[in-house]
């Protein structure tokens, strides 16, 4: 597809279960971001990938959260032993490049998000 | 620390009224700032960036380094402007990559 694709769009799970959220970025986009959006709150940075490497994982809230990216393409965000406070919309975004003086710097293309509800 | 502050969670105006969505930032270097918008049931998307000095859908934003602000303005609000607006800052990290830091967002509601 032409845009960033995320799946599932909606996930309801029980507390303590593991979940995987998937992001397919725009083809050729080397930078990939995960953000979290809790109800009524702003966007919270989770992790950034440049290619398959994650130079910035500073936003991951706990060791229950992990993410990987393969083939400089698909990324998976995994939440283990989910808690109710993990309920949120998880947004993925990609960008063509993130050079310091890139004319594309700052324009992220977002997916529609994965809404996670932990009961 | 780099930070973006949007002091208003909700801004409610009538159609035709002027709009100003406030954004203040904290950044030690030379900032690059952006406004993103999320309309109902649509994806978050870039509205405008300060470096382009552009006007999009009647909105403008001027970077004021003295006041560390980047307020979004429109002289006459339209109902279709109702959306969630996020101010964002590029933060340059070592290794040459950038991270986009978002404010908490302001919901603009334009009433008929």
């Amino acid at each position: 597809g032409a845009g960033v694709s995320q799946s599932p769009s909606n996930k309801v799970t029980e507390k303590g279960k593991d979940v995987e959220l998937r992001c397919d970025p725009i083809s050729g986009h080397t930078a990939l971001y995960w953000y979290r959006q809790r109800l009524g709150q702003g966007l919270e940075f989770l992790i950034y990938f440049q290619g398959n490497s994650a130079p910035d994982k500073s936003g991951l809230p706990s060791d229950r959260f992990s993410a990987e990216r393969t083939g400089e393409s698909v990324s998976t965000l995994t939440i283990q032993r989910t808690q109710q406070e993990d309920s949120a919309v998880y947004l993925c975004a990609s960008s063509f490049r993130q050079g310091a003086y890139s004319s594309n710097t700052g324009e992220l293309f977002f997916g529609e998000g994965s809404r996670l509800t932990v009961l | 620390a780099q930070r973006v502050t949007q002091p208003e969670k909700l801004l409610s105006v009538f159609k035709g009224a002027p709009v100003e969505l406030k954004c203040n930032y904290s950044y030690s270097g030379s900032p690059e700032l952006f406004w993103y918008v999320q309309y109902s049931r649509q994806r978050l998307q870039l509205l405008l960036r300060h470096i382009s000095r552009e006007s999009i859908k009647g909105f403008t934003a001027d970077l004021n380094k003295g006041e560390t602000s980047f307020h979004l303005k429109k002289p006459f609000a339209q109902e279709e402007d109702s959306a969630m607006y996020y101010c964002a800052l590029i933060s340059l990290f070592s290794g040459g990559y950038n991270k986009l830091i978002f404010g908490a967002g302001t919901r603009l509601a334009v009433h008929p």
Side-chain angles (χ1 to χ4, degrees):
Chain A
V4 176
S5 177
Q6 291 187 246
S7 62
S9 54
N10 256 297
K11 175 73 176 177
V12 180
T13 190
E14 292 180 349
K15 178 180 170 181
K17 301 279 190 184
D18 297 352
V19 297
E20 278 190 359
L21 307 176
R22 177 187 168 107
C23 173
D24 278 279
I26 293 172
S27 178
H29 280 194
T30 56
L32 186 148
Y33 297 79
W34 283 98
Y35 287 88
R36 179 168 71 175
Q37 189 175 31
R38 286 171 161 158
L39 187 64
Q41 299 187 21
L43 287 165
E44 179 186 2
F45 168 81
L46 297 178
I47 187 170
Y48 160 80
F49 286 93
Q50 181 61 43
N52 293 334
S53 301
D56 190 350
K57 307 179 185 180
S58 63
L60 294 178
S62 74
D63 58 9
R64 296 187 295 105
F65 287 72
S66 63
E68 65 173 14
R69 189 179 184 196
T70 56
E72 299 197 350
S73 180
V74 172
S75 176
T76 303
L77 177 68
T78 301
I79 309 172
Q80 295 178 308
R81 304 181 303 280
T82 52
Q83 304 294 312
Q84 288 182 333
E85 64 262 26
D86 299 335
S87 296
V89 176
Y90 289 82
L91 288 170
C92 176
S94 71
S95 180
F96 179 60
R97 60 182 184 266
Q98 287 293 294
Y101 300 103
S102 161
S103 61
N104 287 333
T105 299
E107 181 160 16
L108 302 188
F109 295 85
F110 282 84
E112 292 184 321
S114 292
R115 181 178 297 279
L116 174 64
T117 304
V118 182
L119 302 177
Chain B
Q2 297 88 359
R3 183 176 297 158
V4 177
T5 303
Q6 293 180 252
E8 301 146 325
K9 279 198 165 182
L10 173 66
L11 184 61
S12 189
V13 301
F14 287 103
K15 177 183 171 181
V19 168
E20 182 178 68
L21 297 160
K22 290 184 170 28
C23 172
N24 288 88
Y25 67 90
S26 171
Y27 187 65
S28 56
S30 184
E32 285 191 53
L33 287 140
F34 308 82
W35 277 97
Y36 275 75
V37 61
Q38 188 170 27
Y39 299 103
S40 179
R41 299 188 194 89
Q42 293 189 28
R43 302 173 187 225
L44 190 61
Q45 59 188 289
L46 178 66
L47 178 63
L48 59 78
R49 66 191 92 193
H50 94 268
I51 200 168
S52 301
R53 298 181 180 273
E54 55 203 344
S55 173
I56 303 293
K57 299 185 179 183
F59 284 98
T60 58
D62 292 319
L63 177 62
N64 185 323
K65 292 186 179 181
E67 295 182 359
T68 60
S69 69
F70 187 56
H71 304 327
L72 184 67
K73 300 178 184 179
K74 184 169 182 177
F76 307 103
Q78 302 300 314
E79 289 180 67
E80 55 265 29
D81 296 329
S82 296
M84 192 74 176
Y85 291 81
Y86 292 94
C87 183
L89 166 73
I90 281 280
S91 180
L92 178 60
F93 281 74
S94 61
Y97 78 89
N98 300 325
K99 182 166 76 177
L100 206 60
I101 297 173
F102 286 87
T106 298
R107 180 166 298 282
L108 174 64
V110 182
H111 304 284

